[in-house]
Amino acid sequence: MSKEAKLELDGKSYSLPTLEGSEGEKAVDISSLRADSGYITLDESYGNTGSCISKITFIDGEKGILRYRGIPIEEMAEKSTFVEAAYLIIYGSLPNRAQLRRFSDLFTEHQFLHEDMKYHFESFATTAHPMAILSAMINAASCFDDGLMHWHWGQANSQFENYAAKLMSQVRTIAAYSYRKSRGLPLIYPKKAYKYTANFLHMMYSTPYEDYEIKLEVVRALDLIFLLHADHEQNCSTSTVRMVASSQANLFASCSAGVCALWGPLHGGANQAVLEMLEEIHRTGDDGSKFIAAAKDKNSGKKLMGFGHRVYKNYDPRAKIIKRSCDEVLAKLRINDPLLDIAKNLEEAALKDSYFVERKLYPNVDFYSGIIMRAIGIPVEMFPVIFAIGRMPGWIANYKEIMEDSKSRISRPRQIYTGPGLNHYVPMEERK
Ligand code: SDX
């Protein structure tokens, strides 16, 4: 018998069941609250509300812990690859050789877009943000697939493996094409010879007459960034994917919505905002102190981008790993980027500043990731796209979790209405 929470309302007492997760997280189940008491709960921006029960990723924000299906991110970063981590996150266990081979073969099988997709690319403005293109083209790609156009929740299961691999594979192709399109470059088709991340770099940077030189340190650095972004429990974009999935929309439509949510500068767009912030500090000759002062001033409209987190009230474990990788990659590529020094000085100053310390604001995954992406030639507007490619397995896994839950229902939150009481239509001639 689980513990019960007692609630006293209007002279009546209500008992609410509680539950505890496998890592000791506790919740009060309020599923019956409105029916029993007429009350709902209110938790704007859901800071204290669990939207689901999930087995995929565990985060302890106070301790700075992140685990994919129980495996610490530090071990995954050191020993695994993005494709292997994606399999773990989607299917719940590390793949054996045969499973990994099949997963990889499915990426190869699905890596080409329908040739007519090129006409969609041609219709975008050259100034279109690649996140706008990515979201639109994920849905456009689904239009060329009869199974997605006639998606039936009950039958989707048998085809899920194919659609998961297709989405993960094609998101790379779409992303690379959006970059090429924005530069007026000819599209470069994927090559069977290249593995996941190398193929993406090939499609981004090769020319029709010469393949891009695939440097192992560059592939490893980008693969690590994908891996570190692969899932992060119920963040804004993953919750969006679950919200759309709950209506039984197809996998591509749900993940396309996730791209839109991720784009915001408070979420996945932060890596682009961090680079723009560092470039502004560098350009103005500020040693960082002016910017930090502005970030503390509520009226400035500025924030220390890449700092703070809704869940982590300690150092984001991913930021530690990426910071280390920054030093390694720039050393190997013999790049001396002044923005890295600015970032480190900002971090050092902020972590000594009571404003940030009191609010438990630490570097998050976005603070250093842009430095690496810049070092390997990724343009800043593509940074959120890199995040989206990395997060795709997490979105797919959360979609699968809802689809396989026989009790899943459409998400439909309530509200507290504060608008006008009963009102009536006023004909134009009577209006002021
Ligand atoms: C990601 O959820 C996830 O898991 C996300 C993510 C993932 O993997 O999916 O981890 C990826 O989105 C990381 C976050 C990237 N965003 C940024 O770096 C943007 C800068 N950070 C902030 O906008 C903010 O910290 C958020 C959005 C990340 C968190 O916002 P919250 O939880 O709503 O916190 P808040 O805005 O209520 O801040 C609490 C206080 C406020 O001050 P007071 O009102 O208490 O005086 O801290 C201040 C805020 O003003 N604050 C900051 C700040 N972040 C919070 N002040 C200056 N600079 C900042 N970066």
Side-chain angles (χ1 to χ4, degrees):
M1 170 70 169
S2 71
K3 277 185 291 187
E4 292 203 321
K6 294 288 183 200
L7 191 60
E8 303 291 333
L9 280 172
D10 306 333
K12 281 180 135 183
S13 177
Y14 299 90
S15 293
L16 295 167
T18 64
L19 63 158
E20 185 167 335
S22 51
E23 288 293 337
E25 290 175 298
K26 299 175 179 57
V28 177
D29 182 339
I30 58 165
S31 311
S32 63
L33 182 63
R34 187 171 185 275
D36 294 350
S37 70
Y39 279 75
I40 63 169
T41 56
L42 182 64
D43 180 21
E44 291 182 285
S45 76
Y46 304 116
N48 306 280
T49 296
S51 61
C52 62
I53 292 172
S54 177
K55 296 180 169 44
I56 303 167
T57 293
F58 171 67
I59 298 175
D60 181 321
E62 279 67 37
K63 296 178 188 153
I65 290 173
L66 167 57
R67 297 180 194 148
Y68 294 157
R69 301 283 186 176
I71 302 179
I73 192 68
E74 294 79 5
E75 283 184 44
M76 292 300 294
E78 186 192 335
K79 299 172 182 169
S80 189
T81 64
F82 173 58
V83 167
E84 190 178 66
Y87 188 97
L88 168 71
I89 287 166
I90 295 171
Y91 296 106
S93 59
L94 288 168
N96 62 31
R97 286 186 205 289
Q99 290 164 332
L100 193 58
R101 158 61 48 216
R102 173 157 175 75
F103 199 39
S104 188
D105 288 349
L106 284 173
F107 290 146
T108 304
E109 183 184 334
H110 293 296
Q111 61 189 349
F112 283 89
L113 299 174
H114 189 289
E115 198 58 14
D116 289 351
M117 285 278 286
K118 286 203 303 193
Y119 302 115
H120 287 289
F121 279 101
E122 282 161 18
S123 62
F124 280 104
T126 47
T127 52
H129 194 288
M131 286 294 267
I133 298 175
L134 186 63
S135 173
M137 297 301 263
I138 288 173
N139 265 320
S142 73
C143 297
F144 291 95
D145 184 303
D146 200 48
L148 282 166
M149 284 299 97
H150 301 95
W151 185 262
H152 185 283
W153 194 260
Q155 295 151 358
N157 244 322
S158 62
Q159 280 303 309
F160 188 84
E161 178 193 34
N162 266 304
Y163 286 120
K166 183 173 195 172
L167 180 53
M168 272 197 65
S169 188
Q170 293 194 352
V171 72
R172 278 180 304 179
T173 313
I174 294 171
Y177 282 14
S178 67
Y179 166 71
R180 305 284 298 185
K181 158 84 187 140
S182 71
R183 291 327 191 252
L185 297 170
L187 302 182
I188 297 294
Y189 284 17
K191 263 188 172 174
K192 184 173 176 147
Y194 292 126
K195 292 227 174 280
Y196 193 89
T197 301
N199 220 341
F200 172 68
L201 290 165
H202 158 66
M203 290 189 276
M204 283 280 287
Y205 299 125
S206 290
T207 65
Y209 35 80
E210 189 179 34
D211 272 13
Y212 165 76
E213 185 199 354
I214 301 284
K215 290 182 186 152
L216 284 182
E217 59 269 23
V218 173
V219 173
R220 180 65 192 131
L222 185 55
D223 198 79
L224 177 63
I225 286 184
F226 286 150
L227 184 151
L228 292 172
H229 286 78
D231 192 44
H232 211 239
E233 59 145 81
Q234 300 312 312
N235 57 82
C236 177
S237 53
T238 300
S239 299
T240 301
V241 171
R242 286 185 86 110
M243 176 69 83
V244 177
S246 75
S247 74
Q248 299 191 0
N250 74 54
L251 176 66
F252 280 49
S254 303
C255 293
S256 169
V259 171
C260 295
L262 187 71
W263 190 3
L266 296 188
H267 190 14
N271 51 26
Q272 178 175 351
V274 168
L275 240 290
E276 289 160 357
M277 170 186 77
L278 296 175
E279 283 173 337
E280 178 194 334
I281 292 170
H282 185 52
R283 190 175 53 251
T284 56
D286 173 14
D287 63 0
S289 54
K290 288 196 190 78
F291 195 92
I292 283 186
K296 292 157 59 177
D297 172 7
K298 298 288 184 253
N299 302 317
S300 72
K302 291 193 185 287
K303 286 181 182 285
L304 186 55
M305 301 312 279
F307 252 70
H309 200 277
R310 174 62 58 78
V311 175
Y312 288 124
K313 299 309 171 191
N314 199 324
Y315 216 103
D316 182 334
R318 302 166 296 177
K320 277 184 196 163
I321 296 166
I322 290 181
K323 182 179 177 182
R324 207 168 37 245
S325 176
C326 255
D327 289 328
E328 289 163 10
V329 171
L330 269 64
K332 280 182 188 162
L333 297 176
R334 294 191 176 77
I335 294 173
N336 178 17
D337 186 349
L339 300 191
L340 178 56
D341 299 331
I342 291 173
K344 287 181 175 177
N345 293 337
L346 275 178
E347 176 191 349
E348 190 183 340
L351 295 185
K352 289 179 193 158
D353 186 306
S354 60
Y355 173 93
F356 295 92
V357 173
E358 284 159 12
R359 292 168 177 80
K360 297 184 180 177
L361 303 176
Y362 293 88
N364 59 50
V365 68
D366 294 305
F367 192 63
Y368 285 104
S369 56
I371 305 277
I372 295 182
M373 290 192 267
R374 182 173 130 110
I376 58 181
I378 307 275
V380 66
E381 70 275 8
M382 288 287 288
F383 288 7
V385 173
I386 299 299
F387 193 146
I389 295 172
R391 187 51 53 89
M392 205 51 80
W395 291 342
I396 291 169
N398 277 272
Y399 186 98
K400 185 171 184 287
E401 201 166 55
I402 288 191
M403 192 177 75
E404 291 174 341
D405 175 1
S406 57
K407 299 192 304 303
S408 77
R409 300 166 67 206
I410 189 166
S411 296
R412 205 293 187 193
R414 293 282 181 153
Q415 63 164 24
I416 293 296
Y417 176 69
T418 56
L422 178 61
N423 213 337
H424 296 286
Y425 182 79
V426 179
M428 183 58 81
E429 57 276 9
E430 293 173 25
R431 294 176 206 165
K432 295 181 184 63

